[in-house]
Structure formats: structure tokens, C-alpha cells
Amino acid sequence: MAEPETTDAGRDFIRDIIQADLDAGRAQSVVTRFPPEPNGYLHIGHAKSICLNFGVAQEFGGQCHLRFDDTNPVKEEQEFIDAIQRDVRWLGFDWGEHLYHASDYFEQLYDWAEHLVRTGHAYVDDTPPEAMRSQRGTLTEPGQNSPFRYRSVEENLDLFRRMRAGEYPNGTCVLRAKIDMASGNMNLRDPVLYRILHATHPRTGDAWCIYPTYDFAHGQSDAIEGITHSVCTLEFEDHKPLYDWLIEHLPVPSRPRQYEFARLNIGFMVLSKRVLTRLVQDKHVTGWDDPRMPTLAGIRRRGVPAAALREFVRRVGVARANSVVDIAQLDATIRDTLNPSAVRRMAVLRPLKLVIENWPEGHTETLEAINHPDDPSAGKRPITFGREIYVEQDDFMEDAPKKFFRLSPGREVRLRYAYFVTCQSAVKDASGRVVELRCTYDPASRGGNSPDGRKVQGTLHWVGASDAVRAEIRLYNPLFGRPDPGANGDVMADLNPASLEVLTGCLIEPALLQAPVGEAVQFERMGYFCADSDGTPDRPVFNRTVGLRDTWAKVSGAKVLGAKVSPDGRG
Ligand code: ATP
Ligand code: MG
């Protein structure tokens, strides 16, 4: 794990700014907000913003608002509004009574737009979109003034009111701020404040057919709510002069300040709602909560606890420099979070039958397995041993190298919580595939304890044939096959064809039928897994949350493949 970018425990430049503002009396309290646009599900990048905004408010005894930036009715849906609230709560944050919508302020925003018109700071422009784009100029050339820039206040007021009244179809005209077409900052070249959009809004219905742009709605909503520190990602840095210009030219009730931090980027992941929407719409994934998605809903379904995401965000820290975090850091944090709490169970992903020849036919024995090696209070559970059990196919090798401390003819291993067994021979089918192992056990090694001090190097997990439950287990690998998806063109071309591997013949111990959906447990030696909502009592389904070791990093350089769990990995 790389050193966090925070300067010292829990501090970063945003927190330093806030502390300084409080110390100097520039702010009496701290009010922040998290302002999602409800046009998709939240992803892990949003988690960084949520943890920062809500975290800062908590630490400084302030409040954080959840505000839906619902200014584009064409793309916004109630499903997204509900999902966002669910996900923020799941992440562990509470906005209390401070749930707001930019649409709550439409009337006030409209009044302020008229104020700009009346003070000569805004005008209605009929220039067609195409021409408007070319008049905007470039980074090196100034823009040109629109011929409509010199309309009188009366004419502008009349036209703007008629825009609102629905007299014009979409795209006929817009309301623009009158700032400076020669500004070095493109955002100040008479930015659009209102556009015509005949669309039904999820909250305001058909009350409006003109909608404010992000730039016009955002800062003014901050001001209405008394936001003291409007914290956003770096792509809004160039918008700050406009943010401040609007606050200066309007009779707003407070003067919020905007601060920018670097957005979260993670290797092999895409954190862009536009791309995530395409993945869902084009059915590259099963939905927004597909466990391969970087959405909070997907990550939760994969079995990752909210605490792991909060800890990940804390470790990454808050900085002003853009960077890409290694996906292995996320996996490591998930392991670190789950290891102390997740109960241990046994499951065999790719079963191979093992018959103990000197065990009496028809006889079974109940043994005890501990639920957590470091936490006696987690208790024990009974497991059933017998003449036939199943082990992992990978735990047998016919011509094994010396260091293969698992099953091979003549080698002895410990079966976890059970007995020492020695492999006598392997039974093969007509094609030469090993289908069964014949073994003997040492009755004196009950509980897996050495009877005479002799050592075995390997301890294998297993499930008993008498009560094993058949299950489907879904293994997930990164959705994209390269660390910088889309760097060479179409991001969809970089989808990892091996992002999902479904194993249908898995065998799990019966206690796993009680595993709550979404709550990860450790399958000994195999990783962390959680029950999926697709499962039924007859056909349980488990998701791999994360393997025990970072096998992806090792293989990803060479080729994209379904990362195999390290066979001798231990938790
Ligand atoms: P897109 O993913 O298409 O860029 P968006 O994530 O910006 O869209 P919003 O709903 O506007 O969509 O985001 C809400 C807030 O979350 C914004 O304040 C934004 O700065 C923040 N945010 C978005 N992505 C990230 C990220 N990767 N890291 C940190 N914060 C983010
Ligand atoms: Mg955005």
C-alpha cells in the first residue's frame, strides 16, 4: 500500500482550508453538500466525494446536504434518485433533513435569471447552436460577439418570458450571461444559462420547458443552502471564475467558496457514468448492480462491506494532483477489512472425489470446525466427515514436484479439522482424466492433530459427500483487460472477455445455506465470497468478493485470463 497522500492522520488540504477558515472567522460553521446528477448509479469515485463531504461535515460539527442536481430531465429518472439515496446510506452517511433538489429552486433561479437580464448581464440569443459554437472561438482565438448581444433589456425580458411560456420549440434560443467573448477562460465567453427543453421532469412535471444549465444552477443552489465549502473535482476548476461571477452579480443570500480535489481513478476500471450507462444499455453487464461494475450497488453485491470502501478512500487520501490508484490497493483494503470479521467456511470450487479406503462404509463422524481463527467468540460449528469427501482438483498432481505439499501418490496431507490422509492412487476415466483419489487415513490423527509428532506440510480444505450442497459460484475479474481502458480508442474494445467465470458444480458445506445475502465469508484457502440474491435454497449462488492473494497483478501483465486462486493461498 502506497503512503496516503494525506499530510498526517486524517488531514488533507481541504481540511486544512476549512480549519483555517474557522480559525480566521471566515466561516462560523461548516456546511457541505454532495450533488449527484440522478442520471445513473453512484460509483466508487462518488464514494470519495461522499466520504469527503460528509466526513468533513462530521469532523467539524457541521452538516452535509444531499442535493440532486436534477436540471436535465431528459436523462434523469426516479430509479436513479432512489438508488443514490440507498447507496449513500449504505456507505454510512446520513443527510438528516437536508435532502434537496436543484429543482426545488427553479422559481428562485428563474427570478435571478430575470435579475441578470434587468441589470444588463444576460441576453436571449437566437444564434443556431452550430454558429454559436464557431463564434465561441478557441483556446488561442477570442470568440465573436453574437449579433443578439445588444438587444435591449425590454426585448430580452420579453423573449425570456416567452421562452418560459413555451412559445418556442427546443433549440430556438437560449439565455446567455453577458461576460466577455475574448476571455482566456472559455467558460466566461457568454455561457448559456437557460435552454429550452420540452420534457417532463421527474419532480416538476410539465411546469417548466426551460431548464438552467449546471453552471447556473449549481453555485446558486449552494448559496441558497448556505453551503460554506463547495467541494468538487478538478474538472470544475475552470468553472470557478463563472461560479464566482454569478455569485457576485446576483442578490444571493450567502457566498459559498468552491474548492477542487483530484477525482478518483483506478486502474482497469472506468469511472464515468456515460460509459457505465453504455455497459448497462448494451448489456455488457446484467445491470447497474452487476458485481463487476464499479458502482456502489455492484460492489455491495460482490460482498464488499461499506467499511472497506471508507477505509480505501481514507488510504487514498485527498490531493490536488490527478493519479491512478492500483486496483490491487482496493483488493488489499477489502481483504484487510474482511479478514478480522468474516467467518470461515469450507467450499470446493472444482471438486475431485476422494475415497478413504480404510474408513468404514456408511459411517460418518461429526467434527468441529472453528468459525474464526483469531476470534474464539465466533464459536464453532459441526462438519460431517465420512468415507467419501471432495477436495479441490488443483490439490492433486500426479507427477508432483518436490515442493507440492498437497496430494500426490504416496504423499500425506492434513484434511482441515479432520485427519491425516495419504494418497494411494488416482482413478482415471477413459480419457485419462483423474476422477477419483483413493486414500487411507490415520485414525490417530483425529481433529487434524499429529499422532506422533510427524509433520505434514499441507492442509487442505474439503467438504463431506454426505451433506455437501451443490452451488454455483461466480468468479469476477476486472471488467476491462487493460489498466487504462479506452486509451487506444473505443473503451468497449478493451472489455475483458474473462471478466466472469461461472462454476456450476461447486460443493459447499451446509452451514453456508445460512449465509446472509451480500455478507462475505471466507472460503478457506479460496478467498472471500458472499451469497447472491440470484440464489435459491435448491441452488445457492455465491460471488467471489476477492481472492486471498493478488493473483490478478501477476497474470495481467502477461495475458487476460480468469485469474485462478492461488492454490496454496492462505488467509
Ligand atoms: P461522470 O461520471 O460522467 O463524470 P459525474 O460523476 O461527474 O459524471 P455527478 O453526479 O455530477 O456525475 O457527480 C457528483 C459528484 O461526484 C460531483 O461533485 C463530482 O465531482 C463527484 N465525482 C464524480 N466522479 C468522481 C470521482 N471519480 N472521484 C471523486 N469524485 C467524483
Ligand atoms: Mg458531473
Side-chain angles (χ1 to χ4, degrees), residues 37 46 69 214 233 235-236 263 273:
E37 183 180 352
H46 294 117
D69 181 15
Y214 168 86
T233 36
E235 67 268 26
F236 295 104
R263 60 193 289 127
K273 270 192 279 189

Side-chain angles (χ1 to χ4, degrees), residues 105-124 152-164 174-178 191-195 208 210-213 215-217 220-221 224 245-247 249-252:
Y105 313 134
F106 278 173
E107 197 64 52
Q108 173 69 81
L109 293 171
Y110 176 83
D111 285 348
W112 281 336
E114 280 207 356
H115 176 91
L116 288 179
V117 171
R118 279 194 301 273
T119 52
H121 289 113
Y123 62 99
V124 173
S152 68
V153 166
E154 292 68 35
E155 187 182 5
N156 279 321
L157 211 48
D158 177 55
L159 290 170
F160 187 43
R161 287 176 179 167
R162 289 162 75 168
M163 278 172 66
R164 176 183 182 169
V174 294
L175 184 76
R176 296 176 78 175
K178 193 191 273 191
V192 173
L193 305 180
Y194 268 89
R195 66 255 196 253
W208 294 89
I210 58 170
Y211 290 94
T213 55
D215 283 317
F216 190 63
Q220 282 53 256
S221 301
I224 291 169
W245 186 92
L246 288 165
I247 295 288
H249 287 81
L250 289 170
V252 290

Side-chain angles (χ1 to χ4, degrees), residues 34-37 43 45-46 49 233 261 263-264 271-274:
F34 173 64
E37 183 180 352
H43 54 62
H46 294 117
S49 180
T233 36
F261 68 98
R263 60 193 289 127
L264 176 67
L271 303 182
S272 151
K273 270 192 279 189
R274 193 179 47 79

Side-chain angles (χ1 to χ4, degrees), residues 11-69:
R11 294 315 291 239
D12 53 59
F13 78 98
I14 295 282
R15 288 169 166 92
D16 289 345
I17 287 171
I18 293 174
Q19 187 64 59
D21 285 348
L22 291 171
D23 291 347
R26 284 186 296 269
Q28 315 316 318
S29 65
V30 176
V31 185
T32 57
R33 85 286 170 269
F34 173 64
E37 183 180 352
N39 61 351
Y41 279 53
L42 298 179
H43 54 62
I44 187 168
H46 294 117
K48 179 176 180 179
S49 180
I50 294 167
C51 290
L52 178 59
N53 280 297
F54 280 92
V56 153
Q58 268 170 14
E59 289 156 37
F60 289 95
Q63 67 198 41
C64 181
H65 301 180
L66 175 62
R67 183 201 313 145
F68 287 104
D69 181 15

